[in-house]
Amino acid sequence: TKEQMKLEAKRILDSLGVKLDEITDDIAQEIVDWKESMDTETLRQCRAFWLIVVAVSFLAGIGIGTML
């Protein structure tokens, strides 16, 4: 089952010495640091860009879905 696969993957990563919580915390901190390094205008432009990307992707998905 899905839960067993998750547990097995976690066991493998633990045996390799990989701690998912530590990795997740490190990545989250890097994102926070990156966002804090941007000025307000750059952050607004970044949000506008990703809003457009999401909207176009959504519409493309709907279009492809109706064709199938």
Side-chain angles (χ1 to χ4, degrees):
T1 66
K2 199 176 207 182
E3 191 62 35
Q4 291 172 334
M5 289 173 54
K6 283 173 139 179
L7 290 173
E8 182 64 26
K10 185 172 177 159
R11 263 195 302 260
I12 291 170
L13 290 172
D14 284 342
S15 70
L16 295 172
V18 176
K19 301 293 183 199
L20 290 178
D21 293 336
E22 291 174 9
I23 293 172
T24 304
D25 291 342
D26 290 344
I27 292 171
Q29 186 59 44
E30 285 180 25
I31 291 170
V32 167
D33 293 343
W34 173 69
K35 284 178 70 175
E36 288 177 351
S37 71
M38 283 198 280
D39 62 297
T40 305
E41 187 58 34
T42 305
L43 198 53
R44 285 184 183 142
Q45 290 173 352
C46 187
R47 287 182 187 140
F49 169 79
W50 284 112
L51 179 64
I52 292 168
V53 169
V54 168
V56 169
S57 299
F58 179 73
L59 293 174
I62 289 175
I64 292 169
T66 57
M67 291 171 31
L68 297 178

